[in-house]
Amino acid sequence: MAKLSAVAALLAALLLIGNATAYRRESGESCSEQLQQQQFLNHCQMHLRQQCSNVSNTSDESKQFQLCCRQLKQMDRGCRCDGLNMMMRELMREEQGQQQIQEMMQMAQNLPNQCNMKPRRCEMEMLSFRS
């Protein structure tokens, strides 16, 4: 009987170790890997571009915003701000106007709050502009 309980305890320990390893694998992705899985927050990029453009399409803006929030939600809480900063660096390479980039940065830092997530606000890294 003692051998049976020892085997049961060993199996339980192995099961716990297996679950802990699986959890680490799921949550152990780097922020850049998570950002890549969320397609570099492409819906957040589109949402910010729409907000900064003069052309308004309310239904499309709402859809992009919802998809942006979904992408942010799929990222770990600790990676959201890093992801938004990486997204802004990518946008900076593509966009031409410094004023538009600064406007997007201000909006991007409040996206988690608008999506009702934590952290509420992300500090955007100071990005240098190319001349």
Side-chain angles (χ1 to χ4, degrees):
M1 189 70 164
K3 287 183 181 180
L4 186 57
S5 60
V7 169
L10 181 63
L11 286 174
L14 288 173
L15 185 60
L16 286 173
I17 291 169
N19 285 341
T21 304
Y23 177 76
R24 255 184 296 190
R25 226 178 283 133
E26 289 174 8
S27 66
E29 296 171 331
S30 71
C31 293
S32 59
E33 288 171 331
Q34 290 182 43
L35 182 64
Q36 196 171 15
Q37 283 184 341
Q38 296 309 314
Q39 302 165 338
F40 299 94
L41 298 174
N42 62 330
H43 293 292
C44 295
Q45 291 180 36
M46 287 187 262
H47 170 69
L48 293 176
R49 283 187 175 119
Q50 288 172 338
Q51 294 297 303
C52 289
S53 73
N54 295 332
V55 180
S56 181
N57 179 347
T58 310
S59 66
D60 192 42
E61 287 175 19
S62 175
K63 177 183 173 189
Q64 288 305 325
F65 175 70
Q66 290 171 2
L67 292 169
C68 169
C69 291
R70 188 176 302 154
Q71 285 180 323
L72 283 173
K73 188 175 185 173
Q74 294 300 316
M75 296 183 76
D76 290 343
R77 177 181 175 170
C79 286
R80 288 180 187 140
C81 291
D82 287 344
L84 286 169
N85 272 294
M86 287 185 247
M87 176 200 75
M88 284 307 304
R89 279 195 293 277
E90 183 63 32
L91 273 174
M92 227 185 111
R93 288 186 197 101
E94 300 170 6
E95 294 297 324
Q96 57 279 46
Q98 181 175 347
Q99 183 175 354
Q100 189 173 21
I101 291 294
Q102 288 176 333
E103 192 177 332
M104 287 181 181
M105 282 177 60
Q106 289 173 347
M107 287 187 277
Q109 65 188 6
N110 292 316
L111 276 174
N113 187 46
Q114 292 174 335
C115 295
N116 199 26
M117 294 175 200
K118 291 184 180 179
R120 294 286 184 203
R121 181 179 169 89
C122 293
E123 291 303 317
M124 292 288 113
E125 295 171 1
M126 293 305 293
L127 302 171
S128 58
F129 292 92
R130 293 183 297 180
S131 338

